[in-house]
Amino acid sequence: MRRELGIARCGLACCLCSENTKCHGCNSEECPDNDLCENKKCSIKKKLTHCYMCSENCKKGLLSKIKPYAFTLFIKRYGKDKLLNCLEKNEKNGIVYHREGINGDYDDFDDVEKLIEFILTGKR
């Protein structure tokens, strides 16, 4: 885990991303989707650094996917440090963020609350 990379604007965990050796985050202007990212455009327009800072319950852009949406809700409820702590603990216990391509253990959910519980406990 590279904790210093933190969480992307949309809630994805840059700190665990297998692409983090060549990606420098949302604000680096290096992202191939830089000009297309709906979450980046929206958060910049609202003068927010992350979607979790917004009071709206939004599902635009990447927030239409369960993992970034759940991570964003988790931070709204428990804070960013709690998410990072849980992700770090889970990684040490063998939970994998990217197992095949960009899919891993956090992608096997279709219920946001079950994913949030998994993040908290590391158990299905």
Side-chain angles (χ1 to χ4, degrees):
M1 178 164 173
R2 293 186 53 202
R3 194 177 182 108
E4 69 276 9
L5 296 177
I7 305 296
R9 286 178 180 267
C10 65
L12 289 173
C14 297
C15 58
L16 292 174
C17 180
S18 60
E19 301 295 312
N20 68 20
T21 57
K22 51 190 169 213
C23 174
H24 297 99
C26 299
N27 295 321
S28 69
E29 306 299 325
E30 297 173 2
C31 177
D33 295 330
N34 189 55
D35 296 329
L36 304 172
C37 181
E38 193 170 351
N39 302 104
K40 181 176 181 179
K41 286 180 184 179
C42 181
S43 58
I44 287 172
K45 182 179 175 184
K46 293 180 178 185
K47 296 182 174 35
L48 302 172
T49 59
H50 293 84
C51 295
Y52 62 76
M53 300 173 85
C54 185
S55 60
E56 293 179 36
N57 187 21
C58 170
K59 290 194 176 181
K60 289 191 267 186
L62 283 172
L63 293 176
S64 66
K65 299 179 185 275
I66 194 164
K67 183 169 56 177
Y69 182 69
F71 283 21
T72 296
L73 282 181
F74 188 101
I75 294 172
K76 285 183 176 191
R77 290 180 191 171
Y78 304 107
K80 183 175 80 169
D81 286 337
K82 176 83 171 178
L83 176 62
L84 291 171
N85 291 341
C86 288
L87 294 174
E88 187 168 36
K89 177 188 69 155
N90 290 343
E91 182 185 44
K92 287 177 182 172
N93 290 328
I95 295 172
V96 179
Y97 189 71
H98 287 164
R99 186 173 300 284
E100 292 180 28
I102 59 167
N103 291 317
D105 296 333
Y106 296 100
D107 294 286
D108 296 335
F109 292 86
D110 55 12
D111 181 285
V112 172
E113 294 305 324
K114 287 181 181 174
L115 176 50
I116 289 173
E117 186 64 23
F118 178 66
I119 295 166
L120 282 167
T121 65
K123 296 180 179 140
R124 293 193 183 271

